Amino acid sequence: MCDLFVLAWLWPYAETRRKCARSWSSVVRLMERYPEFTFTCSQAQLLQWVKEDYPVLYSKIKLHAAEGRFIPVGGTWVEMDGNLPSGESFIRQFVLGQRFFEKEFGSKCKVFWLPDTFGYSAQLPQIMRLAGIECFLSQKLSWNLVNTFPHNSFWWQGIDGSTVLAHFPSGDSYAMNGTVSEVIKCAENNKDQGRADISMMLYGYGDGGGGPTEDMLERIDRVKNIDGIPRVKSSTPDIFFAQLAQCHNLCKWVGELYLELHQGTYTTQAQLKTFNRQCEVLLQKCEFLQAFVYANKLKSIVPVRVMQSTQKYWETLLLNQFHDVLPGSSIEIVNVEARQMLSQLKKTLIADISCLQHSIAEFMQASRQGNRQALTRDSYIFNSLCWERQEVVAVPHGTVEMPLQLTAEGQQLLLVRASPMGVTSTQSCSQLLAPDQHARIKVTAGEVVMSNEHLVACFDKVGRLMSLKLQGNAKEAILPSHPGNQFVMFDDVPLYWDAWDVMDYHLQTRKPVDNITASPSDVVIERGPLRVSFQVSLQISARSSILQTISLDAMSPFVQVNVTVHWHEAHKFLKVEFPLNLRAHNATYEIQFGHLQRPTHVNTSWDSARYEVCGHKWADVSEYDFGVALLNDCKYGYSCLDNVLRLSLLRSPKNPDEQADMGLHTLSYAIMPHRGSFQSAGVIQQAYNFNYHLDIMTLGTSSGDSITSETDLTSSTGTCSLVTTNNPAMIIETAKPVDNCNNAILLRIYEAFGSSAKGMIKLNFPVNSVLG
């Protein structure tokens, strides 16, 4: 009853569109001959393609769907990766998928169908339930390399307590053939016998499609009532899960479903992952600006094209979050096409965002000047996050008369205070610095010392972090004699799947990268008072090199490292590590709409199998009242054993894409010491700031033309916020116009600290009603 379609892997998207027609034409013919035959189909994107390319076939599919035999399942746009997409991307997978299934087939899906992705985030149960889904099917954890997952049927509980009924078919496959031996295996391999004595048997050719054959259906028909083997019955997912829900005493699994294999997919194809993060950020900014325009009744001054729904943009991003594309486990042609699609999406979003910001800034400036011709130009700061931000930004030369600091490119650096979820004029938000708030740098023959009012960092001539302390705190964050910001190389030769896997034994091949080609004393870039920075060049091998720019801004709680890597290696793994002077039994990692703790020790085989784990924008290691966080702008692979926190940067597998990750890469990370817990220290907010940069829009002198609007926006002060909250635990992840409704704005808010929260949401625009 199953036909798993891999949208792209060893073939491109275009071939999958043709495969759908071939496979489902066969399914339709088989349904005409076998009246009990039922068939499940996931992924709205596939059905959309068939609707566009093969309308006659699609009409037959809808006919059999109305009979309850061709059964849409899954509820998502594609069978996405279960770890790497953001929380908002997960939401949109279900929103677009369920919307399609309801429109085309009359009802939403009740079963989330994801049999072949590489682990499952602990946030998924909550999102499933919010999408109207109560059941979950997969089988991938049967691939575990170390520990056998103990259940086939169980309740899965997410980080907020939401539960879904989960089933992993005991045949350990989504592509069985319906043989007697497979039927027997399904019964004998059931780990929950006595609690649940039923299991699905998924049969048909999967991956590349094909589905069930006539031979399979004949075998299934013959084994239905044979003495001595388990009873077989054709059914549907809804009927199966209804029966399973009647089983008592099912066990409960809390937290992530970690796959003990394929951990290399957190890192492989780094450019795809970078584009993915960037497009997620840009979509958030674009939708926020659209909401700002609607709320302040500025639609008449904005080009129509940039106010259109972002659904098509999301469809492109969601497609490329498929579980063999975003993880980087496809052939070269697939990776090239995905990069091109996401690169174009990025360019389009940047253009739309620029247009929206320019229109808003023009209105702000005209309002402040009373529509009189400007004598000077101004710059406007756009902040799409829901808290006030005090940061150093670069603005065009001439924005202020007496800048404190110029960049090498001739831009002015300003310290600004940007309004939450809003826009602020640089003339009204520029901040002055007291002498003790300056960023400073001191270079000697053997070291570089950087400091500001928050911290002091000492680097050696190789760019390694020798010391990191908070101002006024004697606690050393870096383990003595074990420098941080240490680039390390590992041999990376998996046993099985090259692009997918990284084995635990790679950790035994650690080799520091310390061959310096340019020292910091030669390349001090900026000397303050707003920003200090220096560069260090390292040679990895004859063909690969690293250029790192290490910087510290005034008022910043972290040291930032911008890295450019020329990467031409084979079966090597590049990481950066920070040995921390801390004792913590667990490290904390950001996941979608929350965080997750994982052990820093290997007490059990379950612990030791987690030698490489997935996290998003930050990871934190803390003991009582002190900790260190590692932030990043495009990476997902981490490890933390004992006190050594590592961020995975680049791999170099050769199969199925021989050119995987070869070439130029840019990335950024930051190290942030803090007092107290990561929650109270603002690690979550700083990680958002690190990824969602403040945007600058500079206007020329006004033409003097009047700009009119229906808005009640008060912009004479040079600042305006869409919405604010008074509780830092309440994060407004998304502000967007409601689809197909011109007079409503959606706010998606989540509790980020790991508890419950109360607070006030202040809407700075006229509101008729609020729905929750």
Side-chain angles (χ1 to χ4, degrees), residues 452 455 551-553 556-560 631 670-673 686 690:
N452 65 10
L455 58 86
S551 63
L552 177 65
D553 286 356
S556 174
F558 54 74
V559 178
Q560 180 167 335
L631 321 179
I671 190 75
M672 176 182 168
Q686 291 298 332
F690 195 69

Side-chain angles (χ1 to χ4, degrees), residues 266-313:
Y266 310 150
T267 306
T268 305
Q269 295 291 348
Q271 287 186 340
L272 269 179
K273 293 172 171 61
T274 298
F275 278 135
N276 177 74
R277 179 82 63 87
Q278 291 172 341
C279 288
E280 288 175 336
V281 168
L282 291 169
L283 276 163
Q284 187 267 3
K285 290 184 175 184
C286 184
E287 291 182 332
F288 154 70
L289 291 167
Q290 290 179 335
F292 189 96
V293 167
Y294 273 119
N296 291 294
K297 301 180 180 179
L298 300 174
K299 189 177 178 183
S300 61
I301 69 170
V302 177
V304 174
R305 63 175 179 81
V306 298
M307 291 301 295
Q308 294 175 350
S309 170
T310 57
Q311 177 167 326
K312 290 299 180 182
Y313 296 163

Side-chain angles (χ1 to χ4, degrees), residues 205-221:
Y205 289 109
D207 289 337
T213 65
E214 186 174 355
D215 287 344
M216 294 177 190
L217 294 178
E218 289 292 339
R219 281 195 292 268
I220 293 293
D221 187 59

